Amino acid sequence: MVLSNKVIVVTGGASGIGYECVKAYIGEGARVAVLDVQRETMERLSAKPGNADLYLPCDVSDETQVKTAIAQVERHYGRIDCIHNNAGIAAPAKPLHETTVGEWQALMQVNVFSIYLTTRCGLAALQQSKGCILNTSSMVGRIGQANHAVYTATKGAVDALTKSMALDYATYGIRVNAVAPAGVWTPLLREWAAEQPDTADIETYLDGIHPLGYCPEADVIADACVFLVSEKARFITGCILPVGGGAELGYKR
């Protein structure tokens, strides 16, 4: 098992890509702590055998809550080997001028500011373990997306942060990478699909943007994440790894 006895913190790990990563990490021998705002979901998951043994309710955009949660993880496990910054929101589906100040702030706080908080609070532990940081980005951070200006801006920021963090923390032996999916069937994407005016055609559209021919479930992202946080990727840092079935290559027609 490539993650045997590694301690991994996953933000937004109660559903979607985060939950698939939690399961994959545990399957490879890791001990996982989940930080998420979905308290009821985490309570249900904690009752199931084989899931993470530490579920911490945490708003990752709140400094006090993040500081408290990271300290709890360190007390519980005695170390941290990896922080996977996966928590994110995508709504609303609007152009920039229609986005409210509150919506702008929420997207920036959850998708970008949270990475600052977990890094500040967890860096000392990662220095001791010579661990790694993994950020969940998105292909739209590179190419843009209509009616999602602020969301795409946050993912562009994640990409830039990942590269600069990789340079800053290499001196400590800490690797920093990001995974960049295209479409992935998660609760977040299903919510987005329901908001679109052409919901009947959205599944065909999502299949079509991936040259491999289908929009995947989140387990394909989790497999890539296992690699990036493992010693198999020990000489990889600053990488924004596209996992989009070739979507990053361009449209098929």
Side-chain angles (χ1 to χ4, degrees), residues 100-177:
T100 68
V101 171
E103 290 165 343
W104 168 282
Q105 291 175 335
L107 280 157
M108 291 293 176
Q109 291 286 107
V110 175
N111 294 3
V112 184
F113 184 60
S114 63
I115 296 175
Y116 162 76
L117 292 178
T118 60
T119 301
R120 279 202 60 166
C121 296
L123 184 62
L126 293 176
Q127 286 175 310
Q128 291 183 347
S129 66
K130 294 190 182 300
C132 66
I133 296 171
L134 179 63
N135 300 322
T136 298
S137 186
S138 169
M139 189 183 72
V140 299
R142 298 184 183 184
I143 66 173
Q145 184 180 18
N147 295 320
H148 289 81
V150 185
Y151 175 71
T152 61
T154 65
K155 293 306 183 180
V158 169
D159 289 354
L161 271 176
T162 298
K163 295 173 185 178
S164 293
M165 291 166 65
L167 292 171
D168 288 339
Y169 303 139
T171 187
Y172 306 122
I174 296 172
R175 298 183 300 107
V176 186
N177 293 297

Side-chain angles (χ1 to χ4, degrees), residues 54-68:
L54 191 61
Y55 286 90
L56 301 174
C58 180
D59 177 351
V60 293
S61 67
D62 182 279
E63 182 177 7
T64 300
Q65 292 187 44
V66 172
K67 185 176 182 179
T68 299

Side-chain angles (χ1 to χ4, degrees), residues 4 15 36 50-51 85 111 120 143 158 169 182 198 229 232 239 244:
S4 182
S15 63
D36 204 300
N51 277 293
N85 294 299
N111 294 3
R120 279 202 60 166
I143 66 173
V158 169
Y169 303 139
D198 54 346
V229 304
K232 299 287 187 180
C239 173

Side-chain angles (χ1 to χ4, degrees), residues 10 13-14 17-27 32-34 51-52 55 222:
V10 182
I17 290 173
Y19 181 55
E20 290 299 324
C21 287
V22 168
K23 293 192 295 182
Y25 295 156
I26 292 171
V32 179
V34 176
N51 277 293
Y55 286 90

